[in-house]
Structure formats: C-alpha cells, structure tokens
Amino acid sequence: MRLTVEHKTHYRYEYPAYHAVQSLKLTPAEFEGQKILRWSITAEGCNIGAEFTDGNGDIISTLTSNGPVEAIEIVVTGEVETTDTAGVLRGHKERAFPAVFLRTTPMTKSSAAIRKLADKVAKKTKDGTVLELAHGLTAAVADAIEYAPGTTHVHTTAADAIADGKGVCQDHAHVLISAARHLGIPARYVSGYLFADHEGKPHEASHAWAELHLPEFGWVGFDPANKCCPTDSYIRLGSGLDGQVATPIRGVHTGGGNEDLDVTVVIAQSQQ
C-alpha cells in the first residue's frame, strides 16, 4: 500500500522565545515492511540539522531556532510504501539488545492490577506459545481499558490508566508494555501513523502501539487499541522505553512562557 503523510505541529508561545531546541523522531526507517518513497521535514525560520540513527535504529534530527520567535510550525510530508508482515519487524537495523527493554520507567511501572491481569493471562495460556501469550495480553489490555479520547493526558501512567479503565492508544501501549515486562518479555513503545483502524475508519491523529520481543520471531507489534498486529495501514516512526522517550518531538525553549500546541495529521492512500 502507498500512503501519503501530512503532519503539522504548531507551537505558539505566550511571548517570544529566545531559543528553542527540539529532537525530532519524525523520519521513518526502512525495513522489510516499509519503504520510504519521499520524505521531508521543514520548519520556516528554523535550522534542521543532519540526521543520525540511534541504537534503536530510529532516525533522529535536531531543530534549532534562534529567537525571538512567536511560533514554530514543523511540517512533515512524505509517501511510504508499506507491506503487511503480520506485525513482525524484519530487516530493521538496530544495535540495542532486547533485554534493555525489560527496564521499567515511571510511565510503565506495574501496579497490582497490571500484575494480576498479566498473571491471569499467563495462567490461562500456560500450555501455549509465547506468541499466544502476547496475543492474550493484547486482548486483555483492550478489554480492561475502554477507548475514551480526552480522559487521559501525556503524563498518565500505565497504573493510572488501568485504574481508571479508560484511555487512548498511548495508555493501551503502556499497560501492555508493563504487563509483558512483568512476565519477563522485553517490550517497547512505538510511535507512528495509522491510515485506518480495524473498522476501516480514517485515523486523524498520530498513533502508538507496542512491540514485544518473542523468541520465535524477534520484535512483533501489537496494537491493543485496535486488537490487532500492525498491518500495511501502519507507518512506524520510532520506539523507546515508553511514550515520553519515543515521542516524535521532544524539546526545550528559553523564554516564551507557556506554549500552545496544535497538531494535525492526514494519512491518505495514494495512487500506485
């Protein structure tokens, strides 16, 4: 499938900022299921430095802006050819050992409820494969957390989300990661784009899911929000221990006071 991306992130400062620096994880890497046909990142009045690849195999670039600046708009446009690999990440070049992703973080720290969910699934699938366990965890997380936009925020932890029983894709991913690590399965957060959900409805925001490292397959994606593994409707941007590490844009600014943020994402299928 050929997918086009238009992703705009607009920062507006309370008063002019003197200086801004941002780390951009906004360029997809290539692997067996993902080929980049064209891609660009622009931000008028800003300097975007050369790209490098981190230990996770993700492509990073740096934006700098010397103010005073009242607003910054980062525009990403591109086209990607995707292939359905049933969620298996093949040919992705990375140096980090899977065991790194057994580390917990404040966002993914388990709670009694998460451990109970994980242990219940493990007991139910004790005679099955690790793949069956992973699918069982994904289904259990989907059932435990109702998809309810606006009920959580970027600082909501996995423990908070399962306690509230509501959340969005970020929360589903964090809880799945936490449950998997509790059972000794390396797990990481993935950010990206989704063309359409499992019901065929267009997705109008960035998306997130989890990858679990399974002995038979290596890294495999699981999307609890849609109760599936990533297909050719997904574009993978980057990964990390949790959503704060894997977020597409991280940065700081000097001066400027508070900032407002508007994000628009349009994913469409292009003609062959």
PDB file of all heavy atoms in Angstrom, residues 15 77 89 125 208:
ATOM      1  N   TYR A  15       4.810  34.549  24.837  1.00  0.00           N
ATOM      2  CA  TYR A  15       5.544  35.719  24.346  1.00  0.00           C
ATOM      3  C   TYR A  15       6.819  35.203  23.682  1.00  0.00           C
ATOM      4  O   TYR A  15       7.195  34.045  23.867  1.00  0.00           O
ATOM      5  CB  TYR A  15       5.834  36.711  25.476  1.00  0.00           C
ATOM      6  CG  TYR A  15       6.412  36.140  26.726  1.00  0.00           C
ATOM      7  CD1 TYR A  15       7.786  35.950  26.849  1.00  0.00           C
ATOM      8  CD2 TYR A  15       5.597  35.774  27.795  1.00  0.00           C
ATOM      9  CE1 TYR A  15       8.324  35.423  28.005  1.00  0.00           C
ATOM     10  CE2 TYR A  15       6.123  35.235  28.948  1.00  0.00           C
ATOM     11  CZ  TYR A  15       7.496  35.069  29.053  1.00  0.00           C
ATOM     12  OH  TYR A  15       8.029  34.522  30.199  1.00  0.00           O
ATOM     13  N   THR A  77       5.969  15.974   5.378  1.00  0.00           N
ATOM     14  CA  THR A  77       5.224  15.429   4.243  1.00  0.00           C
ATOM     15  C   THR A  77       6.004  14.256   3.683  1.00  0.00           C
ATOM     16  O   THR A  77       7.241  14.260   3.696  1.00  0.00           O
ATOM     17  CB  THR A  77       5.002  16.469   3.140  1.00  0.00           C
ATOM     18  OG1 THR A  77       6.270  16.954   2.696  1.00  0.00           O
ATOM     19  CG2 THR A  77       4.166  17.638   3.632  1.00  0.00           C
ATOM     20  N   LEU A  89       8.730  -7.405  12.756  1.00  0.00           N
ATOM     21  CA  LEU A  89       9.672  -6.373  12.325  1.00  0.00           C
ATOM     22  C   LEU A  89      10.919  -7.062  11.759  1.00  0.00           C
ATOM     23  O   LEU A  89      11.790  -7.503  12.512  1.00  0.00           O
ATOM     24  CB  LEU A  89      10.032  -5.487  13.521  1.00  0.00           C
ATOM     25  CG  LEU A  89      10.856  -4.226  13.241  1.00  0.00           C
ATOM     26  CD1 LEU A  89      10.084  -3.259  12.352  1.00  0.00           C
ATOM     27  CD2 LEU A  89      11.250  -3.555  14.555  1.00  0.00           C
ATOM     28  N   THR A 125      -2.816 -19.304  29.459  1.00  0.00           N
ATOM     29  CA  THR A 125      -2.106 -19.742  28.249  1.00  0.00           C
ATOM     30  C   THR A 125      -0.833 -20.503  28.599  1.00  0.00           C
ATOM     31  O   THR A 125       0.100 -20.560  27.795  1.00  0.00           O
ATOM     32  CB  THR A 125      -1.754 -18.521  27.370  1.00  0.00           C
ATOM     33  OG1 THR A 125      -0.941 -17.609  28.130  1.00  0.00           O
ATOM     34  CG2 THR A 125      -3.004 -17.795  26.902  1.00  0.00           C
ATOM     35  N   ALA A 208       0.024   5.011  18.354  1.00  0.00           N
ATOM     36  CA  ALA A 208       1.047   4.342  19.150  1.00  0.00           C
ATOM     37  C   ALA A 208       0.613   2.908  19.414  1.00  0.00           C
ATOM     38  O   ALA A 208      -0.587   2.622  19.524  1.00  0.00           O
ATOM     39  CB  ALA A 208       1.261   5.077  20.473  1.00  0.00           C
TER      40      ALA A 208
END
